[in-house]
């Protein structure tokens, strides 16, 4: 599709919107914008699929603003005309910032952002000050609708003109299906709805049927069956488990630490640990860490990385979707993502809206089949990259990780938690048929984490870990730099030496972990059983047959009286007030 100027749209845009677009230097429309904006402005519901970084945010913000401006009556501060639902706080903040640029010239409209990390009371106060546009994460919006009695949001939604579900496939991946159903039940049916996603799934089709009325489908791809931008170069490198960190450090040093990198890891614990390690190794480079367990701190880190000219952000998949950070030079996938679609979304943090970008996936020797899997599943070609890593670099990385743990027991704890969380996450991987834990040398993997000792965990039972060589040290001699934590540890250690048991430690039976696919299969089976029971009940009701539960037969007063007489007779016989013959005759025993 050829690029178009904003003034070439079939439906003319308002002056404030055009002026803001000019200030933001958005001279032409992207294909997804050119396709979606006219449809929404003509009153159509839209379900749009477009590759990551294609400009979906403006594709729904511009028609949203135009629709609200065109209403004949002036918007009251208590009337909500638009709702944007998005999966993460970071994406909500980003949309709010873009929208804020337009609202500077549209003073009659006001936005409010409702996300986790703030209290309900704080959100209520913001709404009382007035809001015409709400940007929210689904959990917080459902909570406000269902449980917040101090403000009647349902009443404020009566004037709703447009609902936008951004990154809709991610909303469903995170398990927000029921939450979205609840939210939709509170919203008026007569509205326009825009649903935007990077991939189409079966679950997404169900949501489209439930939330959109006769929608127009828009699918924008740069090439047939290609799900990543053409300006993105995808690479992979095969490494040994014990040299994985050394390989990545060599790569960053070769390319230059002045560039902007995003490093994706599989778990929050891995982010906590490796952020310390990498910051120590690259002391002159700014290294930030961000994952889903952080609260308000996430905003500050996110903003800081966006404003940096060069540096490293180490994160989990919480940053894989929709986040627009300019000039990210390299996306480094230190671990294969938990789902195939997240491979595409991780890569999409670079090469945004026509810019050049590169991505590199680190694979262990047993993981090379993942390349073919991604090509078939996500239609992405990944080219192999070669990089020589010196044995000196590998030794340096291992020694540095171990020295960090010896200096501070908190880093020692983080290293062990990171290893355990990685192994458990790997064991539940969606691609468990090709990424099998039994194929990994866990001893070599532990060296790659720089561990001082192997942790106790069920996944190690019966495994050969002879490749792991632990240093000869007294682990009780490793101290916390935090004085209070060290005091508590010494008290517990002293009690352990006196009693033989570590205080507060509860012996737990290890629960056998299962793969993500197995868990999902069991969940679907339960849902199907419930659905069958529901359908059976409906059929019986249609036929006029009532299902009556069996009740236990109640004991009558007559039965109780008879029982009391028998008990009295037995007591008389025991006390020898009646003979055996009299008892048998009275009791009816022949």
């Amino acid at each position: 599709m050829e690029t178009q100027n904003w003034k070439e749209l079939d439906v003319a845009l308002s002056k404030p919107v055009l002026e803001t677009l000019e200030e933001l230097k958005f001279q032409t429309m992207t294909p997804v914008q050119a396709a979606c904006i006219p449809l929404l402005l003509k009153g159509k519901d839209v379900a749009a699929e477009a590759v990551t970084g294609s400009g979906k945010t403006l594709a729904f913000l511009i028609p949203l603003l135009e629709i609200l401006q065109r209403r004949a009556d002036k918007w009251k501060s208590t009337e909500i005309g638009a709702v944007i639902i998005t999966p993460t706080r970071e994406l909500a903040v980003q949309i709010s910032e873009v929208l804020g640029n337009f609202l500077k010239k549209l003073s009659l409209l006001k936005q409010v952002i409702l996300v986790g990390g703030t209290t309900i009371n704080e959100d209520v106060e913001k709404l009382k000050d007035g809001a015409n546009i709400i940007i929210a994460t689904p959990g917080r919006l459902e909570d406000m609708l269902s449980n917040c009695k101090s403000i009647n949001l349902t009443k404020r939604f009566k004037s709703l003109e447009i609902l936008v579900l951004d990154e809709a496939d991610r909303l469903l991946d995170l398990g927000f299906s029921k939450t979205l159903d609840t939210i939709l039940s509170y919203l008026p049916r007569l509205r326009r709805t825009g649903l935007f996603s990077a991939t189409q799934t079966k679950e997404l089709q169900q949501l489209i049927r439930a939330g959109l009325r006769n929608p127009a489908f828009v699918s924008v791809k740069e090439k047939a069956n290609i799900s990543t931008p053409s300006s993105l170069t995808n690479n992979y490198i095969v490494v040994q488990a014990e040299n994985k960190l050394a390989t990545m450090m060599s790569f960053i040093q070769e390319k230059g630490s002045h560039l902007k990198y995003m490093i994706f890891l599989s778990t929050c614990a891995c982010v906590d640990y490796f952020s310390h390690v990498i910051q120590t190794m690259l002391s002159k480079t700014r290294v930030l860490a961000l994952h889903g367990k952080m609260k308000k701190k996430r905003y500050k880190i996110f903003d800081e990385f966006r404003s940096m000219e060069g540096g490293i952000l180490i994160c989990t998949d919480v940053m894989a979707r929709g986040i627009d950070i300019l000039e990210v030079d390299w996306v480094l996938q230190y671990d294969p993502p938990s789902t195939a679609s997240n491979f595409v979304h991780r890569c999409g943090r670079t090469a945004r809206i026509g810019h050049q970008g590169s991505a590199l996936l680190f694979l262990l020797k047993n993981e090379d089949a993942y390349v073919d899997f991604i090509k078939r599943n996500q239609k992405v070609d990944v080219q192999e990259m070669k990089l020589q890593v010196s044995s000196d670099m590998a030794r340096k990385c291992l020694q540095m990780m171990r020295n960090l743990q010896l200096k501070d027991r908190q880093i020692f704890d983080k290293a062990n938690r990171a290893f355990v969380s990685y192994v458990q996450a790997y064991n539940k991987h969606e691609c468990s048929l090709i990424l099998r834990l039994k194929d990994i040398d866990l001893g070599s993997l532990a060296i790659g984490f720089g561990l001082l000792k192997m942790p106790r965990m069920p996944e190690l039972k019966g495994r050969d870990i002879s490749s792991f060589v632990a240093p000869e040290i007294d682990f009780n001699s490793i101290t916390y730099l935090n004085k209070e934590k060290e005091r508590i540890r010494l008290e517990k250690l002293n009690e352990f030496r006196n009693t033989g048991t570590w205080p507060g430690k509860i012996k737990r039976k290890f629960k056998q972990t299962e793969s993500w696919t197995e868990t999902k299969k069991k969940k679907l089976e339960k849902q199907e059983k419930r659905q069958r029971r529901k359908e059976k009940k409906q059929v019986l009701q249609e036929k006029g047959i009532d299902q009556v539960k069996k009740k236990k037969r109640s004991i009558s007063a007559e039965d109780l009286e008879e029982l009391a007489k028998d008990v009295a007779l037995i007591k008389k016989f025991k006390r020898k007030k009646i003979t055996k013959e009299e008892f048998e005759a009275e009791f009816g025993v022949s």
Side-chain angles (χ1 to χ4, degrees):
M1 186 183 290
E2 293 182 6
T3 57
Q4 285 181 270
N5 190 286
W6 296 102
K7 293 178 182 178
E8 294 173 4
L9 276 169
D10 297 341
V11 185
L13 300 181
S14 61
K15 187 179 177 183
V17 168
L18 286 170
E19 287 176 352
T20 307
L21 287 167
E22 192 174 337
E23 287 173 10
L24 296 173
K25 296 180 181 179
F26 291 118
Q27 303 297 332
T28 57
M29 288 180 282
T30 64
V32 71
Q33 291 162 1
C36 294
I37 292 172
L39 290 169
L40 285 167
L41 289 177
K42 289 173 183 176
K44 293 275 188 182
D45 284 358
V46 171
E49 175 193 12
V51 295
T52 185
S54 56
K56 292 191 286 288
T57 303
L58 286 184
F60 62 75
L61 279 185
I62 290 171
L64 179 150
L65 290 168
E66 292 293 337
I67 288 165
L68 297 188
Q69 284 183 84
R70 289 174 186 181
R71 196 175 85 151
D73 299 329
K74 182 183 174 183
W75 285 94
K76 296 177 184 176
S77 63
T78 55
E79 288 182 307
I80 296 168
V83 174
I84 302 167
I85 300 175
T86 185
T88 65
R89 303 175 197 175
E90 287 75 21
L91 188 49
V93 170
Q94 183 177 287
I95 293 168
S96 176
E97 288 175 359
V98 177
L99 179 59
N101 290 315
F102 289 92
L103 295 185
K104 288 174 185 176
K105 295 182 183 296
L106 297 166
S107 55
L108 296 175
L109 297 174
K110 190 176 180 182
Q111 65 160 319
V112 159
I113 183 168
L114 305 177
V115 294
T118 59
T119 65
I120 292 288
N121 289 335
E122 286 174 329
D123 288 341
V124 168
E125 290 305 313
K126 287 191 285 187
L127 288 167
K128 283 180 179 177
D129 289 341
N132 309 115
I133 303 166
I134 285 181
I135 303 168
T137 48
R140 177 50 60 94
L141 184 56
E142 182 194 27
D143 200 14
M144 295 290 291
L145 284 165
S146 304
N147 305 319
C148 189
K149 306 298 180 187
S150 57
I151 190 165
N152 191 348
L153 261 188
T154 310
K155 186 179 178 181
R156 295 188 175 207
F157 279 139
K158 283 185 178 179
S159 303
L160 188 73
E161 290 280 350
I162 182 167
L163 167 69
V164 174
L165 300 174
D166 190 25
E167 298 290 347
D169 48 344
R170 179 63 172 159
L171 287 169
L172 297 176
D173 286 345
L174 291 172
F176 285 124
S177 181
K178 287 185 179 178
T179 304
L180 290 174
D181 290 341
T182 304
I183 292 169
L184 289 173
S185 69
Y186 282 98
L187 304 182
R189 290 179 178 274
L190 291 175
R191 63 168 192 270
R192 270 156 285 197
T193 305
L195 186 146
F196 293 80
S197 67
T199 54
Q200 287 285 352
T201 62
K202 184 181 176 182
E203 291 83 3
L204 198 61
Q205 292 296 329
Q206 292 172 354
L207 180 60
I208 289 169
R209 286 195 291 272
L212 283 71
R213 296 174 299 131
N214 193 24
F217 288 89
V218 174
S219 182
V220 177
K221 295 183 179 180
E222 296 191 353
K223 292 180 184 177
N225 297 321
I226 298 295
S227 51
T228 55
S230 58
S231 56
L232 172 64
T233 307
N234 270 303
N235 309 278
Y236 76 95
I237 187 168
V238 178
V239 298
Q240 294 178 329
E242 63 270 29
N243 294 336
K244 198 173 184 181
L245 180 66
T247 305
M248 187 170 71
M249 290 295 97
S250 298
F251 175 82
I252 292 172
Q253 287 175 359
E254 182 184 297
K255 296 296 177 183
S257 55
H258 64 284
L259 299 178
K260 209 166 185 176
Y261 299 87
M262 287 183 77
I263 302 174
F264 284 95
L265 284 88
S266 56
T267 70
C268 301
C270 286
V271 170
D272 282 337
Y273 173 57
F274 281 107
S275 60
H276 283 282
V277 172
I278 294 169
Q279 181 64 87
T280 305
M281 292 202 73
L282 302 172
S283 55
K284 293 181 181 179
T285 305
R286 188 78 178 100
V287 178
L288 303 174
L290 196 155
H291 57 69
K293 290 183 180 177
M294 293 177 175
K295 302 279 184 186
K296 291 183 180 179
K297 195 178 176 183
R298 281 165 57 176
Y299 300 121
K300 186 179 177 183
I301 295 166
F302 176 57
D303 286 339
E304 187 177 347
F305 185 67
R306 287 177 71 186
S307 60
M308 284 163 52
E309 289 185 7
I312 298 172
L313 177 67
I314 303 171
C315 55
T316 58
D317 284 339
V318 73
M319 293 292 287
R321 299 289 291 257
I323 302 302
D324 193 12
I325 301 172
L326 296 178
E327 297 171 1
V328 173
D329 298 288
W330 280 91
V331 167
L332 305 180
Q333 302 197 52
Y334 196 69
D335 308 315
S338 58
T339 63
S341 61
N342 272 357
F343 175 87
V344 172
H345 296 299
R346 283 178 172 188
C347 297
R349 296 317 95 212
T350 184
R352 307 285 295 176
I353 317 178
H355 291 93
Q356 294 295 317
S358 303
L360 176 61
L361 171 66
F362 292 83
L363 294 174
L364 303 180
K365 287 188 175 181
N366 63 288
E367 297 172 339
D368 56 352
Y370 189 76
V371 175
D372 186 54
F373 168 76
I374 283 296
K375 184 175 182 178
R376 292 173 183 274
N377 189 283
Q378 295 294 309
K379 309 295 187 288
V380 177
D381 281 318
V382 191
Q383 305 301 317
E384 186 173 8
M385 180 185 284
K386 298 287 186 182
L387 182 66
Q388 291 295 324
V389 181
S390 67
S391 55
D392 286 343
M393 174 59 89
R395 278 196 300 271
K396 181 183 174 183
C397 286
L398 177 61
Q399 195 57 49
M400 187 273 306
M401 286 188 280
R402 288 183 166 176
N403 286 342
L404 274 175
Q405 295 173 64
L406 290 168
K407 287 177 184 175
D408 186 0
R409 194 177 188 90
Q410 191 162 354
I411 307 298
F412 171 73
D413 293 342
K414 284 178 184 288
N416 283 280
R417 278 197 292 268
F419 179 80
V420 170
S421 70
Y422 176 87
V423 170
Q424 290 176 343
Y426 201 94
N427 205 26
K428 296 177 183 178
H429 205 285
E430 182 191 52
C431 306
S432 56
L433 290 174
I434 57 173
L435 302 180
R436 301 184 301 179
L437 187 64
K438 67 179 183 179
D439 294 335
I440 295 181
D441 181 345
L442 293 179
S444 297
L445 184 70
I447 291 174
F449 276 74
L451 297 192
L452 296 172
K453 61 180 285 189
M454 292 295 285
R456 292 179 63 189
M457 55 191 300
E459 288 82 0
L460 295 179
K461 190 176 180 181
R463 296 294 298 269
D464 177 15
I465 53 171
S466 57
S467 55
F468 177 76
V469 181
E472 294 181 8
I473 54 169
D474 176 11
F475 293 103
N476 288 327
S477 66
I478 304 173
T479 61
Y480 286 108
L481 288 180
N482 184 303
K483 291 181 180 179
E484 182 60 20
K485 289 190 81 170
E486 180 58 18
R487 182 187 66 77
I488 294 167
R489 186 188 76 88
L490 290 174
E491 285 177 2
K492 289 182 176 181
L493 183 61
N494 189 46
E495 190 176 333
F496 170 72
R497 283 169 176 162
N498 293 331
T499 63
T501 9
W502 192 266
K505 190 172 183 179
I506 302 168
K507 286 188 177 180
R508 296 178 183 174
K509 288 184 179 179
F510 289 118
K511 185 181 177 183
Q512 190 63 39
T513 56
E514 58 184 17
S515 67
W516 179 88
T517 47
E518 192 64 31
T519 306
K520 190 173 182 181
K521 183 183 174 184
K522 287 180 180 178
K523 187 179 177 183
L524 289 171
E525 284 174 357
K526 284 181 182 179
Q527 288 174 349
E528 285 171 4
K529 282 181 182 178
R530 282 198 297 267
Q531 186 63 28
R532 283 198 295 270
R533 285 198 297 268
K534 190 177 177 182
E535 288 171 358
K536 184 180 177 182
K537 188 178 178 181
Q538 285 174 347
V539 170
L540 290 170
Q541 284 175 349
E542 286 170 6
K543 291 181 178 179
I545 302 170
D546 290 328
Q547 283 184 307
V548 181
K549 290 183 179 178
K550 291 181 179 179
K551 294 183 179 178
K552 290 182 179 179
R553 189 175 68 87
S554 58
I555 301 172
S556 66
E558 206 174 335
D559 291 336
L560 287 171
E561 191 180 342
E562 189 70 30
L563 185 63
K565 282 180 182 180
D566 290 342
V567 171
L569 190 65
I570 292 167
K571 285 181 179 178
K572 277 185 180 182
F573 176 66
K574 280 189 175 181
R575 291 171 189 163
K576 296 183 180 180
K577 289 184 178 181
I578 58 173
T579 65
K580 185 180 178 182
E581 289 77 13
E582 286 174 331
F583 171 75
E584 288 178 348
E586 193 74 31
F587 215 80
V589 180
S590 57

